[in-house]
Amino acid sequence: MKIVVLAGGISTERDVSLSSGGMIYQALSQRGHQAILLDVWLGYEEDIRGIFELETDWAVQVKAVAEENPDIEAIKALRRDDSKSFFGPNVLEICRMADCVFLALHGAGGEDGRIQACFELLGIPYTGADFVGSCLAMDKGITKDIFQTWNIPTPVGIRVKKGETEERRISYPCIVKASCGGSSIGVYIAENDGEYESAKKEAWRYGDEIIVEQYIKGREFSVGVIDGRALPVIEMAPKKGFYDYRNKYQAGTTIETCPAQISEEKSREMQEIAERVFRALRLKSYARMDFVMSAGEEVYCLEGNTLPGMTPTSLLPQEAAAAGMDFGELCEKILQMALT
């Protein structure tokens, strides 16, 4: 099939997206598809006729994920046209020519339902959750509201809007994080008033609403869900600090164990919760849920990810491998679910 792997963009997760896209593009190409890797923001400025037949390595420019998230203003400046459109030159035209668009986007614009709604209106098949599930899962405040309705265990938290007086406070230590974001960008731990005010200021750089929630000290886990069924549980044990941006994407910084070395009872509990979250957030195709387990073995679900990373260090491919599915088979499964 003719497949556009759409990546890049102008979110703080741009580099992660390009790494995911490069891996997906190579896997689909090796399986015989006419795949191309396209940056949704920069687009393609040459003649698009016969683009799927070009003999070129579309991933040759993809670099390893850096330790710091990219300078988005510098990326925006690379556009040659004056358009403010999220879609770069010829992106929509090329997507219309494809049999399916494999979304490798992460963060704002690509994972929040907007591009999904656009593709729905244009009749362009795409992978992953639809615009409703994407929107619900991207906003951590909405996610918390839904978790409470569905009795899904999650840390106690509040929304704090910029410029508004806080009616409630979460006791220290607490987590302060951007409401709409991923890859642990804009996430901070505060243990006193000074750190709390500083954390809020930093988190507000990513949006006008933030989440403040109870800090649960414990072991960190993740559970992928494909077509409504949970994969084996994976544990992430950073060698230093918590599972932040650096520890997620720099090889050797985190010990990942799959299947996780926990009791069968706790493994089943997390898998069952992950499947409930999948249904509660109205997700489709595939997703990944993040968990923390306290010293007392209480399990808390933190959030759902609708387009989980597919980089060399990402969790979902490791979970799929533990279930007997290699990376190429995983990509093929995701692609087929989008077309049925």
Side-chain angles (χ1 to χ4, degrees), residues 233-259:
V233 179
I234 187 169
E235 179 174 8
M236 306 84 72
K239 294 179 180 179
K240 184 179 180 181
F242 70 101
Y243 197 49
D244 60 9
Y245 187 84
R246 181 177 182 276
N247 286 330
K248 285 183 177 181
Y249 302 115
Q250 300 304 308
T253 59
T254 298
I255 299 171
E256 293 153 350
T257 307
C258 188

Side-chain angles (χ1 to χ4, degrees), residues 289-301:
M289 318 309 167
D290 295 334
F291 292 86
V292 62
M293 185 168 70
S294 70
E297 295 198 339
E298 294 176 294
V299 172
Y300 300 86
C301 186

Side-chain angles (χ1 to χ4, degrees), residues 223-231 274-275 278 285-287 289 316:
V223 182
V225 176
I226 297 180
D227 202 18
R229 300 194 64 178
L231 293 171
E275 291 176 358
F278 193 86
S285 186
Y286 72 116
M289 318 309 167
L316 185 74

Side-chain angles (χ1 to χ4, degrees), residues 56-303:
T56 185
D57 181 0
W58 290 85
V60 70
Q61 300 297 328
V62 175
K63 300 177 182 178
V65 179
E67 290 194 18
E68 301 292 334
N69 51 293
D71 182 344
I72 299 304
E73 292 307 313
I75 300 300
K76 290 180 178 180
L78 295 176
R79 274 277 283 269
R80 297 183 186 179
D81 59 21
D82 294 326
S83 173
K84 302 300 182 184
S85 171
F86 181 68
F87 298 100
N90 292 316
V91 169
L92 286 176
E93 290 78 1
I94 296 170
C95 288
R96 285 194 183 102
M97 295 163 59
D99 294 305
C100 187
V101 175
F102 200 119
L103 292 177
L105 295 163
H106 304 313
E111 207 171 357
D112 54 16
R114 287 183 286 180
I115 197 169
Q116 289 82 359
C118 177
F119 281 1
E120 289 276 353
L121 293 174
L122 294 174
I124 297 173
Y126 61 90
T127 58
D130 63 15
F131 65 96
V132 176
S134 300
C135 178
L136 295 178
M138 188 66 176
D139 189 307
K140 294 178 176 63
I142 294 175
T143 295
K144 277 201 171 292
D145 291 343
I146 293 173
F147 281 5
Q148 290 173 3
T149 301
W150 281 65
N151 294 317
I152 293 166
T154 191
V156 174
I158 59 172
R159 302 186 198 187
V160 181
K161 289 190 175 182
K162 201 172 191 176
E164 291 188 358
T165 303
E166 296 174 46
E167 296 182 358
R168 292 176 56 199
R169 291 293 294 267
I170 302 297
S171 60
Y172 298 124
C174 65
I175 295 286
V176 179
K177 58 187 178 182
S179 183
C180 294
S183 291
S184 296
I185 296 171
V187 178
Y188 309 93
I189 299 175
E191 299 191 8
N192 53 56
D193 289 347
E195 291 180 359
Y196 182 56
E197 293 303 320
S198 177
K200 287 193 296 181
K201 183 178 179 180
E202 288 297 311
W204 271 321
R205 291 170 52 205
Y206 303 99
D208 290 337
E209 182 175 279
I210 61 176
I211 301 296
V212 181
E213 68 182 14
Q214 172 192 13
Y215 172 61
I216 308 294
K217 184 175 177 59
R219 298 164 67 182
E220 298 180 80
F221 301 88
S222 193
V223 182
V225 176
I226 297 180
D227 202 18
R229 300 194 64 178
L231 293 171
V233 179
I234 187 169
E235 179 174 8
M236 306 84 72
K239 294 179 180 179
K240 184 179 180 181
F242 70 101
Y243 197 49
D244 60 9
Y245 187 84
R246 181 177 182 276
N247 286 330
K248 285 183 177 181
Y249 302 115
Q250 300 304 308
T253 59
T254 298
I255 299 171
E256 293 153 350
T257 307
C258 188
Q261 295 179 355
I262 54 177
S263 69
E264 186 175 337
E265 178 187 0
K266 284 299 169 183
S267 181
R268 285 200 306 268
E269 180 182 352
M270 274 189 234
Q271 289 175 312
E272 188 273 335
I273 294 172
E275 291 176 358
R276 283 170 56 205
V277 171
F278 193 86
R279 297 192 299 272
L281 296 179
R282 298 176 61 179
L283 304 182
K284 296 179 180 179
S285 186
Y286 72 116
R288 197 196 75 233
M289 318 309 167
D290 295 334
F291 292 86
V292 62
M293 185 168 70
S294 70
E297 295 198 339
E298 294 176 294
V299 172
Y300 300 86
C301 186
L302 303 177
E303 61 182 58

